[in-house]
Each structure stands twice: as C-alpha cells, then as structure tokens.
DNA sequence: CTTGCGGAATTTTTT
DNA sequence: ATTCCGCAAG
C-alpha cells in the first residue's frame, strides 16, 4: 500500500502528479461535494445523465483509499447485476485490488447471500430454491384449482400481484388475516389462497422474489443478534436508484443502518468485539435517486422513500446534481418540457453546455410495420454516416412491439438483439433442465419434480402424480419420498419401474452435489434421464433447436465453472435465478439494441428510437385509470428521452395490430407537451392523416368526436402555421404500402451487381452490390422510386427480372 | 396415458 | 397471431 493511497491531500494524485486528485478530476463542485461529504446520511438527487455513477464509484474509492473503510465494510446496492459489475470494475480501476471483498450487488443478491448463510437459524435449509414469477404462478395455479377459486373472480395473475404487493408491504398471512374483511367471501377465499401459497413455499424449502427481501427483514427483526452482525459489519451503505425501492427494501436499509445496541452484544456471545465506542455507531447511508425517474410503482416502489428521506434520516444532507453530461440541449428541453407536466414534483431543470444539436425527428407510419421500416431505414442511414450499431437503441412500451421491428430488421439485414423479452432461461427446455438441477439441489421442491417427472415421456400421467402426492400427504412426506417408495402404491409394474428408476438417478446424482461441478451434474442428469436423447430422436423440427439450447446451457455451466472454480450447483442456480433483462447486455457486440422503456433505465445511447408513442400504448391503456398511472407513464417517456446522447427519433403508427386485429391508434398526449420547434416531422400525424383512404377517414371521424380545446389536431395546425417543411417527396412512394407480413424464402436465388429486381413494396430497382455469402448474402439495391435499401436476399419479397 | 382439436385468453412494465 | 387449456377419441 503506497503512501499516496493513504493521502487525503487533494492536491496530489496516486502517481505524485500535482495536477489533481483522480477522485475529483473533471468533477463540478456539486459532484465533488457528493464524493467528499461525510456524515450519517446523504441524499444525492441526481438528474438523468448527471454523472451519478461516476460520483458513486469515486465516493466508494475515496472511502477505501483513505482507509475510512475496509472493502468488507462497504455494501453497495444497485438495480441490476450489470450495474453492480460495472461499479465494481470502475472502483477497481481507481483503487486496484482493494476493491475485492466489497458487497456490490442487487437487493436480491445481497439478501440471498444473507439468507443462505443464516437459513438454519430460522427453519430453512440453505439449499432453498428461488421461485421466479413463473414458478410462483405455477404454484398458485394448483392452489386456485384446488380451491375452485375462479368462482370468486380470482385469477392466477391477480392473486400473484396481490400477494406480491402484500409482501412488498411486509404483510404476512397473519397480518393480512387480522385486517381482512372476512365477511367478504372473496377475501376469505384469497386469505386461504395466500395461506396455502405460503405453506407451499415453506414445504418446498423455497422463497419467491419478494420473500428474499421480506424474509431477510423478518430475520433481522426476529433475531437481533444476527442483525447486529451485519449492522456491525457494514459501516457504509450506498443505494442506487433509491426512488425505485419499495417498503420492504426501505425497511431492510433501516434495519441495517440501526446502531447495534449493547444488549445485542450480550445475546451473541462469542461474536463480541471489545467495545470501543465507534463499534456502536450506525452505518453511514448514501442514497442516489431521481423521483422523476421512478417507474416501478407497479411493483411497489414508493416514491415517498426518497421524498421523505430527510425526515426519515435526521441530520441528513441533500446534494442536487442538475448538470447533464449526456444529451444535447434540444433533447433536454424536450425532456424538461414533458416532465414539467407532472405536478407533484420538485422543480428541477437539467442543463448542459454541449449546445442544441440536431432536432428531434418525428415520424408517423401507417402501420406498425411501416413505422418499423422507418426505424430500419434511419438506422441504416446513421450507420452509413459512421454511427456504430451498438450506439443505437430502439425502445418500446410493450414486449409485443418487438415482432414488427424484428420482422423488418431481419429483412433489412440489420444486426440487432432484443434485451429482456422471452429470456433464454424462460424457454421450456431450459426450465426442464433446471427442473433436473433443482431436483437434486433441493429434493423438497415438488414443483421442479412435477416438471420433470414425465419429461421426457415416461408414462407417468396426472393420475399417477396425484396418487404419489396423496401418498406423500398422508404420511407427511415429500413427493420425492413417495417416488422412492412407489412400489408400495400398487401401481402398474411399468409405471412403478419408471418412477423408481427416475428416483434412483436423482438420488445417485444428488450424492455428488457437494463435490461435483455444475456442468458435470447437468451433463449426467441429461444423459441418464434420457432427456437429451428424447429431444434428438424427436420428429418435431423445433426439438432440434431445443436440443441446441440445452447444449447452450451446458456451455453456460462450463463457463460458470471456469469463472468460479469453487462454484457449487447452488451458487450456479442462485446466479441464474437473479439475472435481469439488462444484465446480459454486451456493449462490445456490434448490434442495435431493442428493449422496453423499463429495461432502458440507467443506459444511454448516441441515437435513440422511441417507438409507439401512441395513446393506449404510452400511456398504456391499463395504467390510464390507475391513480398516478398517467404521471408514471410520463416519467417513463421522460426516461426514454433522456437516454439519448445526440439524436432522438419519436415514431408512432396510425394503426396497430393487436390480438390479431388492426386498431386505429391516436398520437400520445405526451407528444403535445414537447415544444413544436424541437421536432422536425418527416411525416407528422396530420400529414399521414391527410393522405390515404378509409384508414384516415376512420381516424378523422374518431378525432372529431374527441376534439376539445387544445386537442392534438389543434396543436398540429399551430405547428403547420409555424411553417414545417413539407414532407420529402419520396416519402409518398416509399411508405405508400404496408409491408407484407409473411416471411418468404427465395431458396438459393443469387444476384449480382447490375441485376434488375422487383420488390413487392419498393418496386423495381438495380442491384449495386452483393455482400456476404450463402443464406446471409445481402443486396444493396438502388430502387427507381423508393431510394437505396439493403436486403437480405434469401427472405426479401423480391424477384429477379 | 397420449394426442389432437377448437375455443379462449392474451400483452404492461420486472427483481 | 399465438399460446394455452379442456375435452374427446385412440
């Protein structure tokens, strides 16, 4: 450890260079204060793009460098695992190896770590399973069926949401029973559902996502000596995205920042550290947040946590970061204008010194496909100008909007990747493989067992399964026990053999769980269960892809083994249970990123396409009637806008396909909130409206019925009066037809420069150039009327002339 | 017990 | 449009 590292002298840096302190270089005065301030509690109100990650990492680095804290005394909570990894890396870059041993993780990861360590203390064993929302729903589905709860209007998703909300408020079954109105039969039924669900989880030795937080809080409250261990351990706690914390997470932080009391020392003999007075000091708390970016109220995030921080934590200090280092002034003006329509907020105005930059580009397509084509064309143009694909992102409100975008992107041969959505780990075959892994990791879990019992087909149907379960219930044993003793049930000899055989395989592999690597365990299970063999032997062509996915999973476990030589199966299962949509983001890949607005939070891109800016989509129909819904949707729009560094594209469609039906879409109310001079419309809603036949008449008809003062059409006319440039003439031919939705296959059609072709949407054109080989060849085509396009030859709707 | 058909529901956002 | 579920036939 060098003396420079210990130096607190701001005039020196690590290498003795007197130019400045690497911790403070390039920071503005507010940011410096946020890095250097020391006190019991600090709230950093950080507007979008104000460099909060930089401030947070330097603050941590500063604590380590000055020896105010050892790495093990720091707990930093981030929103995603990716953010955690990034923060660890950036702290490491400043202070080197001393970053090792810090707890930088999400709420959920930190809690799993604590729970695994302390599980035995309160009636769980440390190999508990983590149920994701799909698992929770599967359990609830069984319960609802058993109780005939659908007669009371209880659905799986309703019950799941309600239970999740209760848990986020730290209400357990007994707490709910006390306050519930049990004269209401529906409430009574729900209570029973809640009770059985809780029971089902504990029987399975499992926690759901919400339990991870809630049970940790319960653990701390019920066992003060355990809480004291962590209260003493963490001297500095830092929480990012504090505006998105819910009550349970808030309570966890409160527990951790309580000073350990002397009695607690006495109740934990053996852990007693000879009591200097500073051993009893509460941890210092730093939170970073921006109430304008609170977009998770739907899962219990409570904006009051940040608004009332100063009251909750007395002697706290607040530092405001308003200077934006990310976006152009045009983008910030639009963002400020939009967010200022939310009334219950502290006024905060982002500013920058980088200048106005380009105008926001607006576009209205005739359909979702038309809109997607616009996005694809603009991305191609940006790329031709030298913008890398990885610096471009496309945002949307709902995952279902990816379909149209993907269809067009594939056809245009644009490299893209979808973040979130149907994740790898949600695929059926991957869940099956995990079922096997969980079955050996946590034999008490019946959910995993049921999933694999008859996968691949072993002739063990629902009736057999029910018989096994009943046998187990009668004796207070687990489903797994019943399988081992299947011969006592008097089932057919074939079925009995299949059940006992499976139980034997599981038992034998389970014996090696402690000593074997996850990859070996998985491989053995897939072999001996016959799962992989069944997929390979299948006639269904999709099963081939499934087998590949399973192979991919094996590769993932091998990779995990390489990165974590001592990693157990339990470690692996924990890690994959907690990966989020944004976590597998790989910035180095040269692809355009597609994601929901929620996933986009915390990220930034040079060029951003915000699609589907329509009523019923943004704000979403479902949120329109909820209290605070429209305001939260506005914040979502605000988050999307502020992700853009240089260029922002806002697009919408006049019609959108939904549930297989085509519906008329209206421009979002939020569009009007952006000053018209900031947007340059390539095709405004009015322009799209005035052309074309029946579609626009339908739109007009509805709009007339809807037009009050300050309606959209009114502000459009104002915009037109302000002198918008006319639409580029080529727009007419280029966008006139909706793109055909079917994916075709041109076989081994080959093209060469100079060939003339005909495209169903773009008309005739001449091939400039062909790149790539085989099924990936791409034609660069100059169309006579529709401009220049790149097409994936194999699937483009074209013919050679 | 498995397969296959037709009707229903689905799509709001996520750790 | 696609997926999921329940029911009936094999």
């Amino acid at each position: 450890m060098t003396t420079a590292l210990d130096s607190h002298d701001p005039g020196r840096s690590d290498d003795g260079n007197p130019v400045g302190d690497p911790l403070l270089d390039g920071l503005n005065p507010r940011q410096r204060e946020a890095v250097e301030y020391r006190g019991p509690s600090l709230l950093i109100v950080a507007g979008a793009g104000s460099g909060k990650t930089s401030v947070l990492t330097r603050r941590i680095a500063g604590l380590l460098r000055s020896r105010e804290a050892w790495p093990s005394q720091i707990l930093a909570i981030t929103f995603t695992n990716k953010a955690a990894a990034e923060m660890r890396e950036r702290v490491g870059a400043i202070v080197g190896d001393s970053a090792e041993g810090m707890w930088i993780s999400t709420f959920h990861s930190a809690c799993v770590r604590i729970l695994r360590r302390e599980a035995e203390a309160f009636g769980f064993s440390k190999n508990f399973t983590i149920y994701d929302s799909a698992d929770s729903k599967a359990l609830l589905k069984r319960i609802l069926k058993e109780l005939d709860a659908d007669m009371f209007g209880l659905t799986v998703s309703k019950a799941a949401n309600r239970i999740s909300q209760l848990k986020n408020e730290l209400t357990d079954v007994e707490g709910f029973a006390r306050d519930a109105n049990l004269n209401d039969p529906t409430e009574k039924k729900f209570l029973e559902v809640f009770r059985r669900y809780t029971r089902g989880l504990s029987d399975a030795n499992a926690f759901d996502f919400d339990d991870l937080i809630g049970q940790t809080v319960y653990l701390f409250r019920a066992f003060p000596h355990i809480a004291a261990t962590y209260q003493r351990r963490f001297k500095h706690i830092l929480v990012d995205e504090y505006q998105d914390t819910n009550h349970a997470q808030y309570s966890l932080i409160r527990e951790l920042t309580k000073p350990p009391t002397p009695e607690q020392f006495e109740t934990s003999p053996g852990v007693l550290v000879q009591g200097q007075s500073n051993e009893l000091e509460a941890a210092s708390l730093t939170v970073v947040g921006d109430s304008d970016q609170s977009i998770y109220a739907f899962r219990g995030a409570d904006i009051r946590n940040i608004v009332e921080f100063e009251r909750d934590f007395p002697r706290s200090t607040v530092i405001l970061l308003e200077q934006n280092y990310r976006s152009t002034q045009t983008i910030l003006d639009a963002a400020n204008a939009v967010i200022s329509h939310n009334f219950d907020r502290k006024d905060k105005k982002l500013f920058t010194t980088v200048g106005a930059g380009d105008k926001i580009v607006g576009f209205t397509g005739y359909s979702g496909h038309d809109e997607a084509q616009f996005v694809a064309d603009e991305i191609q143009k940006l790329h031709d100008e030298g913008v890398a694909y990885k610096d471009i992102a496309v945002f949307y409100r709902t995952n279902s909007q990816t379909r149209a975008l993907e269809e067009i992107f594939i056809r245009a041969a644009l490299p893209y990747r979808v973040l979130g959505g149907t994740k790898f780990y949600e695929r059926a075959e991957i869940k099956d493989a995990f079922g096997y892994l969980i079955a050996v990791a946590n034999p008490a879990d019946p959910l995993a067992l049921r999933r694999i019992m008859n996968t691949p087909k072993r002739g063990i149907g629902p009736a057999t399964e029910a018989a096994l379960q009943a046998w187990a219930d009668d004796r207070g044993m687990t489903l797994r026990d019943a399988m081992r003793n299947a011969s006592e049930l008097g089932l057919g000899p074939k079925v009995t053999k299949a059940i006992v055989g499976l139980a034997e395989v599981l038992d034998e592999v389970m014996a090696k769980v402690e000593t074997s690597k996850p990859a070996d365990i998985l491989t053995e299970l897939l072999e001996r269960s016959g799962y992989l063999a069944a997929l390979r032997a299948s006639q269904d062509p999709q099963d081939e892809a499934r087998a590949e996915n399973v192979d991919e999973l094996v590769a993932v476990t091998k990779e995990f083994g390489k990165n974590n030589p001592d990693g157990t199966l339990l470690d692996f299962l924990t890690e994959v249970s907690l990966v989020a949509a944004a976590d597998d983001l790989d910035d180095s890949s040269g692809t355009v990123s597609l994601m929901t607005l929620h996933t986009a939070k915390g990220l930034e891109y040079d060029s951003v396409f915000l699609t589907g800016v329509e009523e019923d989509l943004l704000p979403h129909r479902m949120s329109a009637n909820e209290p605070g819904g429209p305001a939260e949707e506005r914040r979502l729009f605000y988050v999307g806008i502020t992700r853009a560094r240089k260029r922002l594209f806002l697009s919408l469609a006049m019609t959108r396909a939904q549930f297989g039906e085509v519906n008329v879409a209206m421009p979002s109310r939020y569009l009007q909130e952006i000053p018209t001079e900031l947007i340059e419309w390539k095709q405004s809603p009015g322009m799209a409206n005035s052309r074309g036949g029946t579609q626009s008449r339908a739109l007009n008809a509805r709009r007339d019925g809807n037009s009050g003062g300050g309606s959209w059409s009114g502000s459009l006319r104002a915009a037109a009066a302000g002198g918008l440039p006319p639409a580029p003439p080529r727009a007419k031919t280029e966008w006139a037809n909706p793109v055909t939705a079917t994916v075709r296959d041109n076989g081994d059609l080959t093209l060469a420069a100079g060939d003339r072709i005909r495209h169903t949407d773009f008309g005739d054109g001449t091939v400039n150039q062909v790149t790539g080989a085989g099924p990936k060849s791409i034609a660069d085509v100059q169309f006579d009327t529709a401009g220049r396009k790149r097409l994936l030859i194999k699937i483009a709707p074209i013919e050679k002339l």
Side-chain angles (χ1 to χ4, degrees), chain A residues 521-560:
Chain A
I521 297 171
L522 178 60
T523 310
E524 184 171 352
L525 283 170
L526 292 173
E527 284 304 321
R528 297 187 55 185
S529 67
Y531 184 75
L532 211 43
L535 276 187
R536 295 235 165 85
S538 162
Q539 300 296 313
D540 188 341
Q542 286 203 318
D543 282 340
E544 199 181 322
R546 295 197 178 104
E548 277 174 31
N549 284 329
V550 174
D551 286 338
E552 174 76 21
L553 179 65
V554 174
V556 170
T557 58
K558 284 186 178 148
E559 181 72 18
F560 174 85

Side-chain angles (χ1 to χ4, degrees), chain A residues 561-611:
Chain A
K562 215 188 297 169
N563 297 333
N564 311 273
D566 302 325
T568 64
L569 176 60
L570 224 46
D571 294 333
F572 176 71
L573 290 173
T574 301
E575 185 171 303
V576 297
S577 305
L578 298 175
V579 291
D583 288 343
D584 50 348
L585 178 66
D586 181 2
D587 292 331
S588 62
S589 65
T591 61
V592 177
S593 300
L594 274 61
M595 69 191 86
T596 66
L597 285 164
H598 284 87
T599 305
K601 193 179 67 157
L603 306 176
E604 59 178 81
Y605 295 89
D606 273 359
S607 301
V608 163
F609 291 82
L610 221 165
T611 66

Side-chain angles (χ1 to χ4, degrees), chain A residues 695-713:
Chain A
Q695 282 182 339
S696 67
R697 241 183 287 128
L699 194 66
N700 275 330
R702 196 162 133 184
R703 179 163 297 156
D704 289 341
N706 195 22
S707 68
S711 73
W712 169 257
S713 52

